Amino acid sequence: MACACMRHWSSIKLPTMASANLQKQPLNSKVLVLGGTGRVGGSTAIALSNLSPDLRIVIAGRNREKGASMVDTLGKNAEFFEVDINDDKSLESALTDVDLVVHAAGPFQQTDNCRVLEAAIRAKTAYMDVCDDTSYALRAKSFMNEALAAKVPAITTGGIYPGVSNVMAAELVRVAKDENKGEPERLRFYYYTAGTGGAGPTILATSFFLLGEEVIAYNKGEKIKLRPYSGMVNIDFGKGIGKRDVYLLNLPEVTSTHEILGVPTVSARFGTAPFFWNWAMDAMTRFLPSEVLRDKSKVQEMVRLFDPVVRVIDGYAGERVSLRVDLECSGGRQTIGIFSHKRLSISVGYSTAAFALAILEGSTQPGVWFPEEPEGLAIEARELLLERAAQGTINFVMHKAPWMVETNPKLVGLGIYV
């Protein structure tokens, strides 16, 4: 299926790589998908099968019935392996003869170890995760020396957001510098998902955990802490999504892009629909003690309470998702990237699968990397990754002025858009 991305890459100047090397499929590679019976892991497995049909995919989880169902969906190249990610021996057995492990068994919040990454390093197996937690991501990075010594390539935060959004930001910064259009000064991540995006209880738990965390942002190089789900702004996500209210959240791409891309002012905001979910989350940060929102048992109780209601409302809200990344440079130059899809449950799978294939194709060096680091994803491999991730998007543009893609740009003066 043709996607919008193919119409807009003509304006992106990427270093060249031999096409045969970039397009080479990882034939006969074996991929272990932890959390493969869940929404994110299952979607990733399906996307991997679609993008590279010869891959051998191992669905790993604790539910044999769900595992058997996923294997039936994937076909002859798939199998199920029962595994407990909290048991080292279970992980060691699951990683036998595996080329890459995709860790999609979230939530990652309030996790005090990187057991899967450690097991992958011991097994000398390539690794990636879909982590969306700052503490977990930084803990994963602390295993850099071990991964280097074992010659294991690893990417943390390699999903849709963070993940694809990091790569979009890296490309905006790279092109701005290459074109000498000024120094990058402000980088802002804006995300929108209708309801839970069809991603189920894990996403609901992640949202509650994030509401219990102070927001880390950067202003002119200074690290600042802000109240979660504050600082609302109304953002235009372009066609298919329109204008949405978004609120501050503590997400790992803020810290990683600030440090790696060298942008002094960075923040991330998120919003959902229907509108009353935004009100509810704002109220939770105001009236619930943060200790409650950081307590695993209490959060699980809240998930059990809210999940049936959320599922009903999700049926009406749909699961559209949109990422908007804004870069402002000295001199007033502003460029943005937008990535929108009708179904998060599908898009997150293709986004994660795109990172998995990049690792299998040799685009990641040994060590533990964020997606925006060229050692984690070679600069010349970014175009292919984004094209794969953008399968089925309703809108994907890069390096455009805001007025070129917004649904209702403001007209000021004599025909000048700002």
Side-chain angles (χ1 to χ4, degrees):
M1 178 179 180
C3 61
C5 65
M6 302 301 290
R7 295 192 294 272
H8 297 286
W9 273 98
S10 59
S11 64
I12 300 177
K13 301 178 179 67
L14 281 166
T16 59
M17 173 188 267
S19 59
N21 193 26
L22 194 63
Q23 295 286 348
K24 183 179 179 181
Q25 292 295 309
L27 296 175
N28 299 318
S29 294
K30 189 175 183 180
V31 179
L32 177 73
V33 183
L34 290 175
T37 59
R39 302 288 183 91
V40 175
S43 177
T44 298
I46 291 171
L48 279 170
S49 180
N50 290 339
L51 290 170
S52 187
D54 292 323
L55 278 178
R56 293 175 292 155
I57 300 173
V58 181
I59 300 299
R62 290 178 293 184
N63 190 314
R64 284 187 171 275
E65 184 178 346
K66 289 183 177 179
S69 175
M70 180 56 67
V71 168
D72 287 342
T73 298
L74 295 173
K76 61 182 179 65
N77 285 344
E79 61 182 293
F80 174 74
F81 193 98
E82 188 171 359
V83 64
D84 179 358
I85 65 170
N86 295 310
D87 183 89
D88 289 338
K89 288 186 178 180
S90 179
L91 280 172
E92 181 182 350
S93 179
L95 287 166
T96 302
D97 296 325
V98 168
D99 297 295
L100 169 70
V101 55
V102 178
H103 184 6
F108 292 86
Q109 285 75 14
Q110 304 301 312
T111 300
D112 60 3
N113 64 74
C114 291
R115 186 171 279 114
V116 177
L117 174 58
E118 292 182 80
I121 291 172
R122 288 195 299 271
K124 299 187 184 302
T125 300
Y127 167 95
M128 68 164 289
D129 63 48
V130 295
C131 163
D132 51 5
D133 179 66
T134 303
S135 296
Y136 188 98
L138 294 177
R139 189 178 299 114
K141 287 285 286 183
S142 73
F143 288 91
M144 173 67 80
N145 289 337
E146 290 87 341
L148 285 170
K151 298 182 179 179
V152 169
I155 292 178
T156 186
T157 69
I160 182 169
Y161 64 87
V164 168
S165 56
N166 302 51
V167 177
M168 291 169 65
E171 275 302 287
L172 290 175
V173 169
R174 185 187 65 79
V175 169
K177 289 183 175 180
D178 285 354
E179 295 180 350
N180 296 315
K181 297 296 185 180
E183 285 298 310
E185 292 185 339
R186 297 178 185 85
L187 182 64
R188 295 186 175 95
F189 296 94
Y190 302 115
Y191 305 131
Y192 165 78
T193 297
T196 63
T202 297
I203 297 299
L204 195 56
T206 295
S207 299
F208 290 149
F209 283 132
L210 285 171
L211 294 177
E213 297 181 8
E214 279 188 314
V215 172
I216 301 298
Y218 293 87
N219 183 36
K220 297 180 179 179
E222 179 185 358
K223 181 179 179 179
I224 57 176
K225 295 183 178 181
L226 303 164
R227 183 175 68 82
Y229 235 69
S230 62
M232 186 273 286
V233 294
N234 186 255
I235 293 298
D236 194 331
F237 288 91
K239 68 179 183 180
I241 305 294
K243 293 185 176 181
R244 303 289 175 174
D245 293 340
V246 290
Y247 305 75
L248 288 164
L249 273 184
N250 188 42
L251 295 172
E253 56 267 46
V254 171
T255 297
S256 68
T257 56
H258 167 72
E259 295 180 354
I260 293 163
L261 302 181
V263 183
T265 298
V266 189
S267 62
R269 285 175 168 84
F270 167 84
T272 186
F275 64 90
F276 52 76
W277 284 139
N278 290 320
W279 294 355
M281 288 195 283
D282 179 41
M284 290 174 72
T285 65
R286 293 177 183 273
F287 302 116
L288 281 180
S290 59
E291 293 77 12
V292 171
L293 294 167
R294 291 197 295 264
D295 186 301
K296 275 191 173 183
S297 60
K298 288 183 171 60
V299 166
Q300 290 305 322
E301 290 175 11
M302 292 166 61
V303 168
R304 284 192 290 271
L305 177 65
F306 283 101
D307 187 52
V309 178
V310 169
R311 286 179 182 272
V312 171
I313 295 176
D314 275 1
Y316 295 96
E319 52 175 289
R320 293 193 177 219
V321 60
S322 187
L323 294 57
R324 173 170 164 165
V325 184
D326 286 36
L327 177 67
E328 295 179 34
C329 296
S330 57
R333 182 181 189 263
Q334 183 176 4
T335 54
I336 71 172
I338 291 180
F339 178 109
S340 302
H341 198 286
K342 287 184 178 180
R343 297 186 63 186
L344 173 62
S345 61
I346 293 175
S347 189
V348 68
Y350 277 99
S351 297
T352 307
F355 281 103
L357 292 176
I359 295 172
L360 290 172
E361 291 164 349
S363 295
T364 304
Q365 297 180 24
V368 184
W369 311 102
F370 287 112
E372 63 270 32
E373 294 184 275
E375 300 89 346
L377 178 69
I379 293 174
E380 58 269 20
R382 289 174 180 169
E383 178 176 356
L384 179 57
L385 180 137
L386 290 174
E387 287 179 3
R388 284 169 167 166
Q391 297 292 308
T393 49
I394 56 176
N395 190 22
F396 178 34
V397 296
M398 286 286 291
H399 307 290
K400 301 293 184 181
W403 65 266
M404 297 177 71
V405 293
E406 291 178 342
T407 55
N408 187 26
K410 295 178 181 178
L411 187 62
V412 180
L414 298 175
I416 302 175
Y417 285 95
V418 296

